[in-house]
């Protein structure tokens, strides 16, 4: 498994980390209606839930970029480096979202998107 493919696996799991943070402690959690419960949350729980949604939204483009770059035999070291950059950016994004640092969150989001675009430029 390449580093980039391991990054795909890690990114596929990261939204579930955000979901776990949103549900941390399960105070009044309603497993029968979890989306309604999450919609009523505030503070870090609401931000973690929003981060979860954004993390899921970013997956298709990242997955496609890594897979396409690999299929066309772009230099593996560049694919790995850009994939790791994306993962680091998305982990930082999650931290910034939960900590309520919107400007820093936007900066790391942009860095992550630059990594994905960079993967496409390897093609």
């Amino acid at each position: 498994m390449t580093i980039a493919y391991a990054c795909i696996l890690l990114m596929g799991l990261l939204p579930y980390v955000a979901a776990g943070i949103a549900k941390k402690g399960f105070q009044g959690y309603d497993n029968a209606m979890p989306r309604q419960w999450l919609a009523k949350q505030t503070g870090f729980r609401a931000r973690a839930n929003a981060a979860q949604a954004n993390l899921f939204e970013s997956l298709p483009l990242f997955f496609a970029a890594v897979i396409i770059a690999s299929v066309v035999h772009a230099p593996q070291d560049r694919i790995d480096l850009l994939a790791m950059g994306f993962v680091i950016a998305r982990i930082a994004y999650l931290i910034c979202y939960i900590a309520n640092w919107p400007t820093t969150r936007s900066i790391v989001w942009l860095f992550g998107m630059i990594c994905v675009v960079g993967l496409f430029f390897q093609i």
Side-chain angles (χ1 to χ4, degrees):
M1 176 183 294
T2 67
I3 291 171
Y5 288 171
C7 288
I8 287 176
L9 175 60
L10 182 60
M11 284 308 306
L13 298 173
L14 191 58
Y16 299 105
V17 172
I21 293 168
K23 297 173 185 176
K24 183 178 183 262
F26 297 100
Q27 298 167 349
Y29 180 72
D30 183 0
N31 197 40
M33 305 196 64
R35 292 179 192 246
Q36 287 84 345
W37 180 84
L38 281 167
K40 295 176 188 173
Q41 299 310 302
T42 60
F44 83 91
R45 290 180 194 281
R47 292 190 301 275
N49 189 45
Q52 170 195 203
N54 190 276
L55 289 165
F56 273 123
E57 292 164 2
S58 70
L59 294 180
L61 190 61
F62 173 65
F63 289 177
V66 169
I67 293 167
I68 293 168
S70 297
V71 167
V72 300
H73 303 292
Q76 190 62 50
D77 60 333
R78 288 189 208 153
I79 298 171
D80 291 343
L81 183 64
L82 289 165
M84 288 186 299
F86 181 79
V87 169
I88 290 166
R90 298 309 281 176
I91 292 170
Y93 176 87
L94 175 58
I95 292 166
C96 290
Y97 218 133
I98 292 167
N100 199 22
W101 301 332
T103 302
T104 307
R105 182 184 82 220
S106 295
I107 292 167
V108 296
W109 177 89
L110 179 60
F111 178 76
M113 287 299 106
I114 289 169
C115 290
V116 170
V117 171
L119 281 163
F120 279 107
F121 276 99
Q122 301 305 306
I123 297 171

